[in-house]
Amino acid sequence: MEAADKTVEERIVESYKRDEDMMILVFAQWCVNHGLDPAGLYQEAYPGQAANDRLARVLELTVPKEEAGDIPDATVLGVLSLYGNDDLAAVVADAIVRRDEAGRMDNA
């Protein structure tokens, strides 16, 4: 029974990692879609951490803005919060505010 429990635990961990990679991809693609540097925003949110290898790996899966579907701001914020990336969600929220303010200035 112990081996079966370990297998279930391993599957749960792997599933979580896949889902977390999807969260990273949503964040990275949202950044690409808005002309932002995902690694730069990550570093702003977590200045004491080294470069994020998973982010670097997932960045290879992003596509140019012209080929990507729209990712609503609320979606990226929700996904980041769901995985406890509140500091990164705050940095993204600040980027949204700056983008929206710049857009209003351009239209004035």
Side-chain angles (χ1 to χ4, degrees):
M1 192 66 154
E2 189 174 303
D5 289 341
K6 183 132 178 103
T7 300
V8 169
E9 183 179 320
E10 288 171 353
R11 284 196 308 242
I12 290 170
V13 168
E14 283 304 311
S15 176
Y16 183 83
K17 285 181 180 177
R18 278 192 308 274
D19 291 347
E20 194 173 37
D21 282 350
M22 185 57 66
M23 176 268 303
I24 296 168
L25 180 58
V26 168
F27 162 71
Q29 189 63 59
W30 179 87
C31 288
V32 168
N33 291 357
H34 293 282
L36 301 169
D37 173 25
L41 287 182
Y42 183 88
Q43 193 64 40
E44 186 179 334
Y46 306 108
Q49 291 186 9
N52 186 312
D53 293 336
R54 289 176 74 189
L55 176 58
R57 189 181 74 245
V58 170
L59 274 172
E60 296 174 10
L61 302 175
T62 61
V63 296
K65 175 182 178 177
E66 299 76 27
E67 296 175 25
D70 182 48
I71 300 172
D73 298 340
T75 298
V76 73
L77 291 170
V79 169
L80 291 171
S81 293
L82 180 67
Y83 280 86
N85 285 303
D86 297 328
D87 292 341
L88 186 54
V91 169
V92 167
D94 288 345
I96 292 168
V97 168
R98 287 191 304 269
R99 179 200 65 205
D100 291 349
E101 287 175 351
R104 281 193 293 275
M105 299 282 278
D106 290 342
N107 292 328

